[in-house]
Amino acid sequence: MELKEVEKCCCVVTLNEAFSTQTSQSCSGVVVHPQTGTIICTGLPFSRFVTDPDQLSAEHTFLLPRSFSKKLKIRVIFPDVSHPVELYPPGSKPAHNREVSAQLVALFNCLEFEEAFQTLFQEADHWRFHGDEEDRELMRDARFLSWFAILKTREKVDGLRSESIPWQSCSSLQKGDPVLACGSPFGSLCLDLFISTLSRGIVSNLTGEDNAVILTDARCLPGTEGGGVFVGKSTDVHLIGVIVSPFCWKANEWIGLTLVCSVQSIFRNIIRCGSLQGLLWDVWPSPVQSSLCMSTMIHESRVAKYPTVCLVESGSVWGSGVAVTPQLVVTCRHVVNGRLTVILKFHHNHRFLGIIGDVLFSTKPSSPYDLALIQMRDSVADVVIPRMAKRFDQGDSAVVVGYGGMGPYCGPSLTSGIISKAIRSKDQLVMLQTTCAVQSGASGGAVVQRDSGELLGIVSSNTRDLAAKVTYPHLNFIIPVTVFQRLLEQFDLKKNINVFQELDATEAEVKKVWRLQGTKSKL
């Protein structure tokens, strides 16, 4: 499938009850078999129309149409990308988008996603996956995020040349791989403006059987649930997942990542269920296994080797750290939390290796540079020591490598962006800012040039508006390597830890640049 066809295979699904005055529900969907009009979408909006909500439990793996309101009406709207965008009055429908009726084949639970989700997103961390809490009638319980719907329209989907949408196994995905998301922000609202909107990002993290759970920093909005996530070149694009939730909050912190379910896991659960597969013979003209076109292409990652980043545990506080030599780790002062020893955990082959680290130096609280240096008591195999960057140009691509959000569950996450600001004082680079999504736990992590993997700096913090109690993950503050690179070289020669005391004696102008760390600011 070509890139220009991605928009055509995404659609909007609307649900309501006939003769009912209640507000209709909508989400995005992805066409998986154009010739038979077969669509996969998120199952969450259907939860309002279940006659017995207790059926959405671990005891059931799928639900048939008889479990839903007999008045349920489903409409699917397909974009017509051949016409230019035209504006329409509120409440009216774009003339060029095609709307057809659809029937529900089944609602089913993706078991691999559910298992990995429950392991990754611990209840104690207070995760939340939707922003519209005002709609209390709609079930927003995280238990239903693993449910998906199979729909069939009454006619085939035009404009797509392939008999079925080519898809790819997620087993070959790697962190940092570029992805493309396609969905319709706000669902059925303002279709002329938002239907089949594209967003680019990278794979931030993966977990579960055959990477059933995917996290990406491709920016999506409410209503894109059920949309598709794709990989590949412009002439060879493959579906890899379905958007589950465009928003993730941990407690009250917006994480800035999109939650995706592997399409391989979705199809596996369809095939696994014998009763459901029998129904699908009427949806797909031949057995499901042969009708779904999986790519046999071997996926080759072009991600550069990034520095080794470890999890730093200091009592109840944890963050990230960057190995800058085979024995030394740089992190933040607030991560070591005043301790003399910490635990360093290195993620390798899906396991963590724990090492005790001695805190050699921490800057004083009065220093604008929130830095600490840790010495490992034992060595770690296969540590990637970073090359220090020499260029720090605004607009250059950057990647943050750290343990933000996911913590100790599945290794460091990657988020992409650009250098949005480079601030100098007397020709000395003293602060970087990026648009990469940074969360609690990423402090002390690495900021690298995306293509070369060179270390640009260390994550210090993101931005929080204390008055509004809002966190902004895409505006963050970075300590450039120019601040500590020379001191590391001196320490390597002299073995005198006192060389780092220079960081405590910074000039007033530098402190002014970092003034938002002070308690008097609302940020």
Side-chain angles (χ1 to χ4, degrees), residues 306-311 319-323 345-347 384 401-403 412 442 444-446:
Y306 295 152
T308 296
V309 175
C310 62
L311 181 71
S320 306
V322 183
K345 292 186 175 180
F346 292 84
H347 191 255
V384 179
V401 187
Y403 284 84

Side-chain angles (χ1 to χ4, degrees), residues 289-503:
Q289 296 97 315
S290 59
S291 291
L292 299 173
C293 179
M294 185 180 80
S295 168
T296 57
M297 176 183 66
I298 299 176
H299 185 74
E300 296 183 1
S301 175
R302 296 185 178 181
V303 178
K305 280 194 173 183
Y306 295 152
T308 296
V309 175
C310 62
L311 181 71
V312 181
E313 287 187 349
S314 179
S316 60
V317 176
W318 57 269
S320 306
V322 183
V324 290
T325 76
Q327 293 295 131
L328 295 177
V329 168
V330 171
T331 185
C332 290
R333 175 187 63 241
H334 74 267
V335 172
V336 300
N337 196 31
R339 300 220 172 187
L340 298 178
T341 60
V342 295
I343 302 298
L344 306 175
K345 292 186 175 180
F346 292 84
H347 191 255
H348 184 65
N349 290 333
H350 305 289
R351 294 184 178 182
F352 279 96
L353 171 65
I355 294 176
I356 295 177
D358 296 304
V359 180
L360 298 182
F361 173 82
S362 289
T363 54
K364 295 179 180 179
S366 58
S367 172
Y369 295 127
D370 184 359
L371 281 172
L373 188 68
I374 303 170
Q375 185 168 33
M376 293 181 271
R377 292 187 182 179
D378 298 300
S379 59
V380 180
D382 303 324
V383 170
V384 179
I385 304 303
R387 291 177 290 112
M388 303 296 183
K390 294 181 173 60
R391 294 185 55 185
F392 307 86
D393 297 330
Q394 289 184 214
D396 280 357
S397 296
V399 170
V400 166
V401 187
Y403 284 84
M406 302 303 104
Y409 300 115
C410 53
S413 297
L414 274 59
T415 56
S416 60
I418 63 170
I419 299 175
S420 54
K421 192 78 172 177
I423 301 177
R424 290 173 169 81
S425 173
K426 296 182 180 180
D427 295 327
Q428 172 74 20
L429 184 64
V430 296
M431 176 192 281
L432 292 174
Q433 297 172 21
T434 80
T435 61
C436 305
V438 165
Q439 311 91 21
S440 297
S443 296
V447 185
V448 300
Q449 290 182 346
R450 180 170 180 175
D451 296 329
S452 68
E454 293 177 329
L455 184 65
L456 294 164
I458 303 296
V459 177
S460 177
S461 68
N462 56 19
T463 307
R464 181 173 174 81
D465 187 328
L466 298 178
K469 297 182 180 180
V470 175
T471 301
Y472 303 101
H474 297 100
L475 175 56
N476 40 77
F477 304 115
I478 312 299
I479 303 171
V481 294
T482 52
V483 170
F484 56 84
Q485 179 181 2
R486 176 178 54 84
L487 302 179
L488 282 173
E489 293 170 351
Q490 290 181 13
F491 177 70
D492 186 53
L493 291 173
K494 301 177 181 179
K495 306 303 179 185
N496 183 359
I497 199 64
N498 291 330
V499 299
F500 290 99
Q501 292 180 356
E502 179 181 317
L503 297 172

